[in-house]
Amino acid sequence: MLHVISLVAVAAVVVLYAAAGVLAITTGRAVPWQRGYILRPRLWGSGALVFGAGMALARYGGTVRDLTTSDVVFACSLLMLICGGVLQYVGQRAGRLGV
C-alpha cells in the first residue's frame, strides 16, 4: 500500500512540476509565486521539465529488477536532476549582494 501512495505522490509532484515548466516555456511567464525571482522563464521551464523527468525516472528506477539496469537508470535520473536544477538556478534572478 505504501508503494502505491508514494507512486501517487511522486506522480502528482511530477505533473505539477511539468505543468509549471510547460507554462513557462509556452507563455514566457513564470508561475505566480515565482514571478519575482525568475528572470528567464523559458530557461527555468526547461529546467523544470528536465527535473520532473528526472524525478519520474528515479521513481521508475525503483521498479526495475535488474541491478545493472537499475544502476544505469538511477545514474541517468541523478544526472537529469542535477542538470534540471542547474537550468532552474541559471534561469532565476541573482540575489542582490551587499544590499
Side-chain angles (χ1 to χ4, degrees), residues 56-75:
L57 189 62
R59 185 64 186 96
Y60 170 72
T63 64
V64 175
R65 298 289 181 218
D66 184 29
L67 289 178
T68 306
T69 307
S70 176
D71 289 343
V72 171
V73 168
F74 276 124

Side-chain angles (χ1 to χ4, degrees), residues 18-79:
V22 168
L23 174 76
I25 290 173
T26 57
T27 65
R29 297 176 63 191
V31 290
W33 57 89
Q34 289 284 333
R35 283 201 183 121
Y37 301 106
I38 296 175
L39 181 62
R40 295 177 288 277
R42 295 187 198 284
L43 182 63
W44 184 89
S46 299
L49 284 178
V50 172
F51 193 84
M55 283 194 297
L57 189 62
R59 185 64 186 96
Y60 170 72
T63 64
V64 175
R65 298 289 181 218
D66 184 29
L67 289 178
T68 306
T69 307
S70 176
D71 289 343
V72 171
V73 168
F74 276 124
C76 290
S77 68
L78 182 61
L79 183 65

